[in-house]
Amino acid sequence: MKGFRLDRLPGLAVLSAPLVWAVLFLFIPYLIIFTYSFWLKKYPTFIPAFQFGNYAQIFADPQYYQVLLRTGKIALMVTALSLLLAYPFAYFLVFKVKSSRVRSLLYMAVIAPLWVSYLLRAYIWKTILGSEGVLNSFLVWTGILSAPTDLLLYNQFSMVVTLTYIFIPFMVMPIFTALEKIPRNLVEAAGDLGVTPWGALAKVIWPLSLPGVIAGATFTFCLTFGDFIAPMLVGGPDGVMIANVITSQYGAALNWPLGSALAVVLLIIVLIIIELSDRLQRKDRIGLG
Amino acid sequence: MIQALNNTLFRRLGDGVFVTMIASILAFLYLPVIVLIVFSFNDSSSLTLPLSGFTWKWYQSVFANEDLLRALRNSFYVASLATVLTLVIGVPAAFALDRLNFPGKTLFRRLVLLPLVLPGIITGISMLNLFKLMGFSLSLETVIIGHATALLSVVVTQVFARLQRLSRSYEEAAADLGARPWETFFLVILPNIRSAMIGSALLSFTLSFDEIPVTFFLTGRDNTLPMYIWSTMRRGLTPEINAVGTLIIAASLVLIVLSVSLLKADDER
């Protein structure tokens, strides 16, 4: 029995605007990207064609596949660093903090930066790490360094620090939720059976929190993978990521077909990761009964 | 005895390690923000230590900067209209996903939710392609359509979740009492999902106000605030950006308090 029966006409009225919007501004644009990815660049614009040259170029020209590999590497490093920081934090909040007020306050403290402009959070690190920046001037002022170093900014190190700073809330949220769902008596039972706290962490808490870890890792990885603002601000020549290459194909290089093919590759990678993570989380749930 | 002493010592040590860890993560998150704020009041045009003295002049130059103020007005315009559009399209979409069956529903759901997980650049260039193909010139209005499309998913997920928790018996009662479907929708369902709507509207306003990847591809001559700040900071860093940043953080704080109290109101229901 359906609780709410919409007559045919109101149903259509409710649906029509969202449906038209989804077709016009989502379905058709994705279709256009996909179509363009097979077209040919012909100065000054491009012409319809059906050929795989753009894709072949991405996987044959080191300039492109190396950017893909580098993007993957940076996204992995950001994910790993975020996990390393977020997990102990969430664990401490859920299992060590006794007062629920302190707990929600500390949780909010980690989530709150999400509301502060993304751009600002990237900008802050530019001012801190630059050779004329806060950290350098501090180190020189206190005499730790005799002259400013330019090792801090415009490299993969500054990219990983900045992106971790920006995306770490997305790691903390699902892990915190997963840890909160673990029944306390399971942890207590492990203690009663003589398992050390570290043993309980390894054998009870960690496996049960895996869905949260997977969700957080997926968010962090995908968000980093498609970013092009942070690389422009704090990444140097070896910090160029896939989205930057797409931007330049759509901009100065004026090769929309190649840009579209790169976008399709980016889209497919992200969708595969999301699908895999979905399956892993589902498998985990079933595995635990 | 020694065992017990060992245990307490171990626990103390463990707690100490944890507290240090939490403190350092909070420092990692908040020290940079403090640095940003401090330098917005520092009387020197370079962002270096030691500090040289207190000043309001960066704030004065912000309020005297015509380009920046225009960008701010543009951002308000874009974010307000984009938020209205996400609600007008998103609430019926969530409703249809929850209560209606129609062919192609799965595809529709996937399409609408896709921008939530896809990088903004994909939404940006795909809509740029469309607008160019249709012969539209880029403007703040194309940015509004882009933001609405990208943020539709935010409203749909929040309102959908609220609708799922809403008991159907209200609607049945309304129908039994002779309310027409649209009366039920406006008088029974809408009031019940109000907090989810306001919450998601606040969220999409904030996200639109801060949006760069989509705006980057869809804007014409006019700049939004983040685009303006971005183009300034690519030319060089000035304490004026710190002052704008501090103002943005203050505004964000107000929004956080607002949304938290809204969430609480929802919990008490």
Side-chain angles (χ1 to χ4, degrees):
Chain A
M1 279 280 278
K2 291 204 69 188
F4 185 60
R5 218 182 58 242
L6 271 167
D7 302 330
R8 222 159 232 285
L9 219 59
L12 213 66
V14 166
L15 194 54
S16 58
L19 210 57
V20 167
W21 193 280
V23 170
L24 187 59
F25 294 126
L26 288 159
F27 187 69
I28 294 178
Y30 289 139
L31 209 64
I32 298 174
I33 289 201
F34 193 67
T35 314
Y36 278 178
S37 73
F38 299 106
W39 285 20
L40 265 178
K41 177 194 159 112
K42 190 158 191 237
Y43 189 82
T45 54
F46 41 97
I47 50 167
F50 184 74
Q51 45 90 37
F52 294 86
N54 299 318
Y55 291 101
Q57 194 179 354
I58 293 171
F59 293 105
D61 190 339
Q63 191 190 338
Y64 299 110
Y65 68 70
Q66 271 172 5
V67 170
L68 268 175
L69 289 177
R70 178 194 303 143
T71 310
K73 181 181 137 200
I74 288 173
L76 268 181
M77 289 198 288
V78 171
T79 309
L81 184 60
S82 303
L83 180 63
L84 217 61
L85 294 171
Y87 200 90
F89 187 83
Y91 175 84
F92 178 85
L93 285 196
V94 173
F95 291 102
K96 299 279 171 180
V97 175
K98 300 283 187 299
S99 138
S100 70
R101 272 200 57 179
V102 175
R103 189 184 307 142
S104 56
L105 209 70
L106 283 173
Y107 180 67
M108 268 312 287
V110 177
I111 306 307
L114 276 185
W115 289 79
V116 177
S117 161
Y118 161 92
L119 183 65
L120 274 183
R121 284 180 282 153
Y123 165 76
I124 292 176
W125 284 97
K126 197 177 163 91
T127 69
I128 291 177
L129 296 175
S131 57
E132 305 251 298
V134 178
L135 188 58
N136 255 316
S137 59
F138 174 77
L139 292 175
V140 172
W141 182 37
T142 49
I144 296 170
L145 285 181
S146 55
T149 167
D150 53 8
L151 287 176
L152 297 171
L153 190 61
Y154 301 128
N155 51 35
Q156 296 190 0
F157 162 78
S158 57
M159 294 263 295
V160 171
V161 170
T162 307
L163 287 165
T164 303
Y165 182 75
I166 292 173
F167 293 131
I168 199 171
F170 290 99
M171 187 64 101
V172 175
M173 282 191 283
I175 293 179
F176 181 83
T177 316
L179 287 175
E180 252 197 337
K181 272 196 235 154
I182 297 174
R184 292 308 167 90
N185 51 19
L186 279 184
V187 184
E188 283 159 20
D192 291 345
L193 292 168
V195 179
T196 60
W198 286 109
L201 176 61
K203 294 205 177 91
V204 180
I205 298 173
W206 171 256
L208 285 174
S209 65
L210 264 183
V213 172
I214 294 169
T218 310
F219 286 143
T220 318
F221 188 90
C222 290
L223 285 167
T224 307
F225 204 85
D227 196 90
F228 70 97
I229 316 290
M232 280 189 178
L233 281 175
V234 299
D238 71 337
V240 174
M241 303 226 289
I242 180 77
N244 298 100
V245 180
I246 298 177
T247 312
S248 62
Q249 294 306 322
Y250 265 81
L254 246 140
N255 190 348
W256 287 25
L258 182 61
S260 299
L262 283 164
V264 171
V265 170
L266 169 61
L267 194 131
I268 289 172
I269 291 174
V270 170
L271 287 183
I272 288 176
I273 289 167
I274 289 166
E275 180 62 29
L276 279 180
S277 126
D278 244 26
R279 286 208 186 151
L280 269 173
Q281 287 180 66
R282 227 174 295 147
K283 196 190 87 198
D284 259 11
R285 244 172 267 147
I286 295 164
L288 293 163
Chain B
M1 176 64 193
I2 291 170
Q3 179 73 35
L5 195 72
N6 238 342
N7 269 344
T8 15
L9 200 72
F10 217 68
R11 199 168 306 133
R12 283 260 170 87
L13 199 73
D15 284 353
V17 168
F18 265 119
V19 171
T20 320
M21 204 142 188
I22 299 311
S24 41
I25 288 175
L26 287 178
F28 173 59
L29 286 174
Y30 284 94
L31 264 183
V33 178
I34 293 170
V35 167
L36 176 93
I37 296 172
V38 165
F39 277 98
S40 78
F41 292 109
N42 186 39
D43 188 14
S44 156
S45 57
S46 72
L47 299 163
T48 49
L49 286 170
L51 299 170
S52 49
F54 181 88
T55 179
W56 287 107
K57 74 176 176 205
W58 305 118
Y59 288 88
Q60 285 160 352
S61 75
V62 164
F63 288 108
N65 185 335
E66 269 309 315
D67 290 340
L68 192 147
L69 293 178
R70 193 174 317 117
L72 180 69
R73 279 196 297 275
N74 287 344
S75 274
F76 267 109
Y77 171 66
V78 167
S80 315
L81 281 188
T83 304
V84 170
L85 270 178
T86 54
L87 284 179
V88 169
I89 309 288
V91 173
F95 189 79
L97 284 175
D98 185 41
R99 317 257 151 140
L100 294 179
N101 273 318
F102 52 93
K105 188 175 170 179
T106 315
L107 180 66
F108 174 70
R109 197 192 66 228
R110 294 203 162 193
L111 270 179
V112 170
L113 296 185
L114 215 47
L116 199 62
V117 291
L118 284 186
I121 186 172
I122 304 268
T123 312
I125 62 166
S126 66
M127 296 196 78
L128 172 67
N129 286 332
L130 178 77
F131 290 139
K132 283 283 173 194
L133 209 65
M134 298 199 318
F136 279 24
S137 56
L138 298 176
S139 62
L140 288 180
E141 286 70 31
T142 48
V143 176
I144 291 171
I145 295 177
H147 284 193
T149 307
L151 299 173
L152 198 58
S153 49
V154 173
V155 173
V156 171
T157 43
Q158 305 259 328
V159 173
F160 180 77
R162 185 77 190 89
L163 277 172
Q164 289 226 303
R165 282 191 289 143
L166 184 67
S167 163
R168 303 275 171 116
S169 48
Y170 292 124
E171 294 150 46
E172 283 165 12
D176 288 347
L177 292 169
R180 289 158 204 274
W182 61 267
E183 285 175 320
T184 314
F185 183 74
F186 283 103
L187 299 174
V188 178
I189 297 176
L190 273 192
N192 271 295
I193 58 173
R194 201 183 52 199
S195 55
M197 278 167 60
I198 299 173
S200 54
L202 272 179
L203 192 57
S204 56
F205 187 91
T206 317
L207 292 174
S208 165
F209 206 86
D210 187 36
E211 218 284 339
I212 296 180
V214 174
T215 320
F216 180 84
F217 291 101
L218 297 185
T219 194
R221 279 166 180 280
D222 298 302
N223 264 340
T224 59
L225 185 63
M227 289 293 295
Y228 172 79
I229 298 177
W230 192 33
S231 58
T232 322
M233 70 177 62
R234 291 184 76 190
R235 286 200 296 272
L237 310 177
T238 70
E240 202 183 305
I241 302 175
N242 289 48
V244 180
T246 305
L247 293 172
I248 292 178
I249 288 173
S252 315
L253 267 179
V254 175
L255 277 177
I256 292 170
V257 172
L258 253 175
S259 63
V260 165
S261 48
L262 270 173
L263 280 176
K264 268 200 188 132
D266 206 29
D267 282 346
E268 280 156 15
R269 244 166 211 288

